[in-house]
């Protein structure tokens, strides 16, 4: 079992470009979430999903979209990249929102 | 004020030392509590859950005080391999299902 996988590992974008960060899990968990991690800020929740077809905003949703068409996949879309979105992005999954979360290895994004 | 606050450190301790990390949270709707460990440039991983009765896992002891909204982690007999960032995590069901991470406390254990 791969657990939680994220692609790409690294990405450089120019301001205004769009892209999708991929996240997939094979743990059959209902709860999935996206975080960004910036120095001194800890992880901040961007969006989360409690099951296929259900998504909701976290703490810092602006500039990002998500969808959850299957249990396994939870892609994060950057609509028009900005330098403020330079960060490390982690996808996570849990059997329930209040349980242990399992993280993917992260995507390091730089927006120039 | 942040919902989950931790001492940022860093804590620099010799091998064998006992070190304590503290964390406070502001939302009384918080339901579950954890300590995660994050190594440099890696993803966070669960260290242990935190229960009101307190719980211990080898050299690690976690405590929760709901009345004071305070969580602690004690590491005894520190090892070089304990060097990492320790994240305090709180889950709550208020305005959705949210997980809030503290900014983390950096620990360096020296030989």
């Amino acid at each position: 079992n791969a657990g939680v996988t994220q692609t790409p590992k690294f990405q450089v974008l120019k301001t205004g470009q769009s892209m999708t960060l991929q996240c997939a899990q094979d743990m059959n968990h209902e709860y999935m979430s996206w975080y960004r991690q910036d120095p001194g800020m800890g992880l901040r929740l961007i969006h989360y999903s409690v099951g296929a077809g259900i998504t909701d905003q976290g703490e810092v949703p602006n500039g990002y979209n998500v969808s959850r068409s299957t249990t396994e996949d939870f892609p994060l879309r950057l609509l028009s990249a900005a330098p403020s979105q330079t960060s490390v992005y982690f996808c996570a999954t849990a059997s329930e929102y209040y349980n242990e979360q399992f993280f993917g290895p992260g995507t390091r994004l730089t927006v120039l | 004020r942040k919902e989950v606050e931790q001492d940022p450190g860093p804590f620099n301790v010799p091998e064998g030392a006992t070190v304590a990390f503290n964390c406070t949270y502001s939302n009384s709707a918080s339901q579950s509590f954890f300590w995660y460990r994050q190594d440099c440039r890696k993803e966070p991983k669960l260290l242990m859950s935190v229960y009101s009765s307190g719980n211990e896992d080898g050299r690690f002891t976690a405590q929760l005080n709901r009345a004071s909204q305070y969580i602690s982690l004690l590491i005894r007999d520190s090892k070089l391999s304990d060097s990492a960032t320790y994240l305090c995590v709180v889950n709550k069901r208020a305005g959705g299902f949210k997980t809030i991470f503290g900014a983390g406390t950096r620990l360096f254990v020296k030989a």
Side-chain angles (χ1 to χ4, degrees):
Chain A
N1 288 348
V4 183
T5 58
Q6 289 184 238
T7 55
K9 284 189 167 55
F10 301 94
Q11 183 70 50
V12 178
L13 292 177
K14 294 181 180 177
T15 297
Q17 287 185 313
S18 62
M19 78 160 295
T20 299
L21 279 62
Q22 302 291 346
C23 174
Q25 54 107 353
D26 62 3
M27 306 176 79
N28 201 31
H29 285 170
E30 292 295 330
Y31 185 84
M32 295 188 75
S33 52
W34 275 102
Y35 297 88
R36 59 177 289 173
Q37 186 172 33
D38 303 295
M41 299 287 292
L43 281 85
R44 291 181 292 168
L45 183 65
I46 304 172
H47 286 284
Y48 66 94
S49 169
V50 297
I54 306 168
T55 63
D56 204 350
Q57 296 181 351
E59 183 185 355
V60 287
N62 292 342
Y64 307 95
N65 273 355
V66 292
S67 59
R68 182 95 180 270
S69 55
T70 66
T71 298
E72 294 78 19
D73 299 297
F74 191 43
L76 178 73
R77 281 182 289 277
L78 278 70
L79 308 173
S80 177
S84 60
Q85 293 179 305
T86 293
S87 188
V88 181
Y89 291 85
F90 289 104
C91 177
T93 182
S95 55
E96 298 284 350
Y97 82 96
Y98 50 79
N99 284 344
E100 172 188 2
Q101 295 203 38
F102 298 86
F103 286 82
T107 294
R108 283 163 177 75
L109 175 68
T110 301
V111 182
L112 302 175
Chain B
R1 183 186 170 200
K2 295 180 182 177
E3 284 197 66
V4 177
E5 297 213 56
Q6 296 182 245
D7 185 336
F11 285 36
N12 292 285
V13 303
E15 273 188 293
T18 296
V19 60
F21 300 138
N22 301 319
C23 172
T24 57
Y25 62 95
S26 60
N27 194 312
S28 59
S30 301
Q31 291 187 287
S32 56
F33 309 88
F34 304 89
W35 284 101
Y36 280 72
R37 171 194 169 127
Q38 186 174 24
D39 293 299
C40 188
R41 300 182 68 80
K42 298 286 190 182
E43 72 272 23
K45 293 185 178 178
L46 180 70
L47 179 65
M48 58 197 304
S49 303
V50 188
Y51 305 114
S52 298
S53 55
N55 48 301
E56 187 173 306
D57 182 3
R59 297 182 293 108
F60 300 85
T61 301
Q63 296 276 357
L64 166 65
N65 185 320
R66 283 188 184 269
S68 301
Q69 296 183 185
Y70 172 88
I71 305 161
S72 66
L73 176 68
L74 186 75
I75 304 177
R76 292 180 299 278
D77 188 22
S78 298
K79 312 291 185 192
L80 295 176
S81 57
D82 293 334
S83 297
T85 297
Y86 291 84
L87 306 171
C88 175
V89 181
V90 172
N91 289 328
K92 66 175 185 177
R93 184 174 179 175
F97 304 89
K98 303 286 176 69
T99 298
I100 310 296
F101 282 75
T105 300
R106 190 78 172 89
L107 173 66
F108 294 95
V109 181
K110 308 285 189 182

